[in-house]
Amino acid sequence: MRRLAAIIIATLSASWLTPIHAAPIEIKFSHVVAENTPKGKMAIRFQQLVEQRLAGKVTVRIYPNSQLFTDAKVLQAMQLGDVEMAAPSLSKFQKYTSKLQIFDLPFLFKDIQAVEKFQNSKAGKELLKSLERKMLVGLGYLHNGMKQMSGYQPVRTPADIAGKKYRIMASDVLQAQFEAVNAIPLKKPFSEVFTLLQTRAIDGQENTWSNTYSKKFFEVQPYITATNHGVLDYLVVTSAEFWYGLPQDIRLKLQQALDEAIIYGNQIAAEKSVDDRQKIIDSGKSQVIDISEAERQQWVDAMRPVWKRFENEIGADLIQAAIEANQ
Ligand code: LMR
């Protein structure tokens, strides 16, 4: 924490002494999804707002589709100063903080409104600071949506995926979640998922309607079960060194542009969770399976013990705060 304070003081005084930057400040924004997604569109909106409001002072260059970094590399690259902004899913911060693992707990949030309420709560806002010790700054949450499970065979209950290989993001909670139903979880980068599915190296994956549609997973997965068992949201993140090294007026304008872009991205997320689901159904390439309440309860019963396993790392109080967001 003292190191962060020292960086803030040193960089603030430096920016005070040198208010005029000869060349525009460049923000490289790296992400892994397609442009036609909540994150892709949020990044473009941010770029446009910065262009309008900080012309000649700041430029934003977006690298979508894992063109610059995968999520496994991007945070380290950010600490080294090789990229300024990214928005990895909340599942990808495990090496940096154990607290954000809360978002991976299965069946913790009943819907995206509960996620939103928790993120806006005191506890949720505090979590934005959980990366400070790693010299990273959480600038805001962005929604994608609730996750569904896709596969080669129809899946209704946990027994249907026993022994099957499922791709997961690099998260121990997600690993425990699939192990709880006797499936075989494999941590793989997002950029490899389509090929893994197409070649049948894996049996299935969990993801949002938007990612399953935009990356064409539905074309190689004939069944998608609407489990809504967990959330896939993002943290927009930057490095402390970059952020606090910016002149204060620029930093404030960037934060404002980002806040507006996130509001827009969240609207896109809400639309896509309905529209992309429908587009998948309309394609006729994948059948969407809605499970009954009793079938859903089987998933809940099998996966809920995962909460207890991670309670010490995440914090019982934090889990309680998230539960309360469902009311
Ligand atoms: C995934 O790896 O499935 C997601 O994190 C991709 C994303 O950024 O939405």
Side-chain angles (χ1 to χ4, degrees):
M1 212 58 79
R2 260 192 240 130
R3 211 173 126 219
L4 177 64
I7 284 195
I8 295 174
I9 292 165
T11 49
L12 284 181
S13 16
S15 60
W16 178 255
L17 290 170
T18 50
I20 298 161
H21 284 253
I25 298 160
E26 191 191 51
I27 298 180
K28 292 189 276 313
F29 192 139
S30 170
H31 70 80
V32 300
V33 291
E35 290 190 302
N36 188 22
T37 57
K39 183 160 55 183
K41 287 191 163 245
M42 181 283 284
I44 293 170
R45 177 59 64 96
F46 173 65
Q47 180 185 50
Q48 288 165 345
L49 291 173
V50 171
E51 227 163 66
Q52 282 164 20
R53 297 173 189 175
L54 288 163
K57 293 187 180 160
V58 183
T59 57
V60 178
R61 198 181 286 261
I62 305 170
Y63 298 86
N65 295 309
S66 313
Q67 273 166 22
L68 194 57
F69 293 109
T70 61
D71 281 335
K73 300 267 165 65
V74 75
L75 295 175
Q76 201 186 358
M78 191 170 276
Q79 288 173 320
L80 295 172
D82 293 336
V83 60
E84 287 72 32
M85 279 175 86
S89 96
L90 292 161
S91 313
K92 305 217 174 127
F93 289 90
Q94 187 184 296
K95 281 197 201 144
Y96 297 81
T97 170
S98 53
K99 297 279 166 203
L100 291 175
Q101 294 185 115
I102 189 161
F103 290 99
D104 281 344
L105 293 180
F107 296 104
L108 177 59
F109 298 104
K110 71 171 192 236
D111 52 28
I112 204 76
Q113 285 73 31
V115 177
E116 166 95 13
K117 196 167 159 195
F118 175 66
Q119 290 172 350
N120 286 332
S121 71
K122 190 162 171 279
K125 285 189 181 145
E126 273 300 304
L127 280 180
L128 291 175
K129 298 186 198 147
S130 60
L131 300 162
E132 277 180 357
R133 280 175 43 224
K134 301 288 180 183
M135 310 312 290
L136 296 172
V137 182
L139 297 174
Y141 296 106
L142 171 72
H143 296 315
N144 184 327
M146 303 304 282
K147 290 179 291 183
Q148 324 300 334
M149 284 191 202
S150 70
Y152 287 109
Q153 278 140 8
V155 167
R156 303 201 77 97
T157 66
D160 296 331
I161 68 167
K164 300 264 189 278
K165 293 193 193 112
Y166 270 71
R167 178 268 173 174
I168 54 164
M169 297 181 271
S171 150
D172 288 352
V173 177
L174 298 180
Q175 181 174 342
Q177 167 197 279
F178 275 99
E179 284 170 354
V181 291
N182 301 314
I184 305 163
L186 297 166
K187 292 177 179 167
K188 296 284 178 192
F190 188 60
S191 53
E192 289 176 22
V193 180
F194 181 84
T195 307
L196 289 167
L197 293 170
Q198 193 185 35
T199 56
R200 295 203 175 212
I202 55 173
D203 297 294
Q205 59 96 39
E206 53 161 17
N207 229 307
T208 59
W209 293 113
S210 148
N211 281 347
T212 299
Y213 178 71
S214 59
K215 284 293 175 186
K216 302 191 187 326
F217 300 156
F218 71 101
E219 294 191 359
V220 288
Q221 292 271 268
Y223 298 97
I224 303 175
T225 307
T227 46
N228 293 300
H229 60 281
V231 62
L232 195 164
D233 268 12
Y234 305 112
L235 185 64
V236 184
V237 67
T238 187
S239 82
E241 193 160 357
F242 171 72
W243 193 242
Y244 295 111
L246 292 168
Q248 194 190 21
D249 59 330
I250 290 189
R251 190 168 57 245
L252 290 176
K253 284 190 179 140
L254 286 175
Q255 181 73 61
Q256 198 180 359
L258 182 67
D259 292 346
E260 288 173 38
I262 285 177
I263 291 171
Y264 171 71
N266 285 343
Q267 283 164 10
I268 300 290
E271 284 163 24
K272 287 199 169 290
S273 63
V274 177
D275 295 353
D276 286 355
R277 180 188 203 271
Q278 193 55 46
K279 284 183 192 155
I280 290 171
I281 295 171
D282 294 346
S283 76
K285 293 189 171 149
S286 192
Q287 188 186 323
V288 172
I289 300 172
D290 287 309
I291 52 176
S292 69
E293 204 36 59
E295 286 164 339
R296 185 172 186 278
Q297 195 56 46
Q298 289 189 42
W299 292 96
V300 174
D301 292 345
M303 290 179 164
R304 269 286 288 273
V306 170
W307 295 17
K308 196 82 206 147
R309 208 172 125 192
F310 288 88
E311 191 181 271
N312 283 347
E313 279 180 49
I314 295 171
D317 290 356
L318 199 57
I319 296 177
Q320 189 50 38
I323 292 170
E324 281 161 21
N326 288 307
Q327 282 142 27

